[in-house]
Amino acid sequence: MDRDDPPTTIHTPDDLAPRGPWSFLRPALSGGFGRWGWGLLAGWALMVAGPAFSWAALLRRSAGWSALPGHWGEGITARDIWELWENGGLKHNLTNSPTVHTLGLGLVVVFWCGWRMQAEAVDLPGRLGPWLLGALDTLLMGVIPMLLVGWVISSVLGWLGNTGIQGLGWTAFFGRPLVVMAALSALGLQWWFLRLGRAARAAGVAPKGYGRHLGRGFLALWSHPVQWGVVVLVGTVLRALLSFLVLLLAWRLGGATVGRVWTFFLLQVAATVVNAWLLGWFLRTSALFWQHDLKVRQARTEFEDSRREAAALDA
């Protein structure tokens, strides 16, 4: 060996070495957004803009020419809201208004565009079957473990909040809602892995076997609980914080003028677009991690099969 050549060690980089999800954050960040990413942004914006406009129009129609739309929430008692809801026709109008429809349409666009963007990141066909069947797999494999983990963490936070220490009380006050949101995000992450596994099996990329499919999807999340937990928690905090800051600003300044109302609305749309971009980043991260994890597991399986064949021949 040449004197100038570095020695070879067991730490030589290997493309098939196991890697955690954190190592895929940078590649996913520079992966581009694409047409499905723009659809994801549009879907999130529709979820905010559509219900807001339709709700304002509903109040306008329900209130007629009164000052209710201009002073909604200012000095209105719970009894007034109940009377308006039950006897003022607001309940009937809400079921027939575009408020619910635009929210539902926005959710469908977000879910579908997110799936297509994720599948495209790993060169898989994003069809409807894996999308739906992956959700059923998630109900089977992900709900009970996530409920148990969420219940344990929430119970610990509740115990800390009941100690009487002010700092721990505030931690429990803000932490328990975040635990619920993080658990829902982690459940969505489980869905992302299982639907990718479904698509890979349909395309012949992953080996057959329903039990192995469920096991691979489950281990993709739970084999790296710390790294995925940090990713989920940080993403949940960032998305909740952006929307909360806009609402806090609107609460402090008030909507006395039309300009302020439009300013708050546009800020909320901007926060929603940023949240959608974060979601797209995490979608690509999970897809790249899943692709690498599949290669590693397949390489291990082939190596173990070759060892068994060699042992059988030696015997």
Side-chain angles (χ1 to χ4, degrees):
M1 182 175 63
D2 192 357
R3 185 181 299 272
D4 295 332
D5 293 337
T8 301
T9 68
I10 61 174
H11 300 291
T12 301
D14 186 0
D15 292 338
L16 294 178
R19 297 165 60 187
W22 287 356
S23 60
F24 295 95
L25 288 170
R26 179 174 293 181
L29 183 64
S30 60
F33 217 60
R35 54 175 179 170
W36 299 111
W38 289 109
L40 187 68
L41 294 181
W44 273 104
L46 178 62
M47 288 174 57
V48 173
F53 276 107
S54 57
W55 177 249
L58 173 63
L59 291 179
R60 181 72 175 179
R61 293 193 303 270
S62 301
W65 292 101
S66 72
L68 179 60
H71 301 278
W72 177 252
E74 298 179 11
I76 300 178
T77 64
R79 180 65 181 176
D80 294 333
I81 296 176
W82 176 260
E83 289 291 338
L84 179 64
W85 180 259
E86 289 293 332
N87 303 321
L90 189 59
K91 181 179 180 180
H92 174 71
N93 291 335
L94 180 61
T95 58
N96 297 322
S97 73
T99 304
V100 179
H101 303 154
T102 53
L103 179 62
L105 178 60
L107 281 173
V108 171
V109 172
V110 166
F111 286 150
W112 183 248
C113 289
W115 163 231
R116 293 302 301 268
M117 183 176 67
Q118 188 185 34
E120 191 177 73
V122 290
D123 298 324
L124 287 175
R127 296 193 174 93
L128 183 61
W131 187 68
L132 293 175
L133 295 175
L136 295 178
D137 294 339
T138 305
L139 294 177
L140 180 63
M141 295 295 296
V143 173
I144 294 179
M146 207 61 64
L147 284 176
L148 289 175
V149 173
W151 176 78
V152 170
I153 298 176
S154 181
S155 299
V156 172
L157 289 174
W159 177 80
L160 293 175
N162 293 328
T163 58
I165 302 175
Q166 185 176 5
L168 295 179
W170 283 109
T171 301
F173 179 78
F174 288 105
R176 298 182 80 175
L178 286 176
V179 167
V180 175
M181 291 187 289
L184 291 175
S185 297
L187 194 63
L189 182 62
Q190 184 72 87
W191 179 30
W192 297 354
F193 290 139
L194 289 169
R195 67 190 187 186
L196 283 171
R198 283 276 187 176
R201 290 176 63 210
V205 177
K208 301 296 183 180
Y210 185 62
R212 297 177 65 181
H213 154 69
L214 293 179
R216 286 192 299 267
F218 182 82
L219 291 175
L221 175 62
W222 293 101
S223 60
H224 299 278
V226 175
Q227 293 196 24
W228 279 126
V230 172
V231 170
V232 169
L233 184 60
V234 170
T236 301
V237 171
L238 287 177
R239 292 194 299 270
L241 184 62
L242 286 173
S243 300
F244 175 76
L245 289 177
V246 175
L247 291 176
L248 180 62
L249 179 65
W251 180 267
R252 295 295 299 271
L253 297 181
T257 63
V258 176
R260 284 189 180 182
V261 173
W262 273 104
T263 300
F264 299 145
F265 173 75
L266 294 177
L267 285 175
Q268 188 63 50
V269 172
T272 304
V273 169
V274 173
N275 288 339
W277 182 85
L278 288 173
L279 180 62
W281 183 21
F282 296 148
L283 279 164
R284 292 194 303 273
T285 300
S286 63
L288 295 177
F289 166 80
W290 173 88
Q291 185 181 49
H292 178 77
D293 185 69
L294 178 64
K295 291 179 180 179
V296 171
R297 294 184 186 278
Q298 288 179 338
R300 286 177 176 173
T301 301
E302 293 174 359
F303 177 72
E304 292 173 357
D305 292 342
S306 63
R307 287 187 60 183
R308 282 193 293 267
E309 291 177 0
L313 290 175
D314 291 340

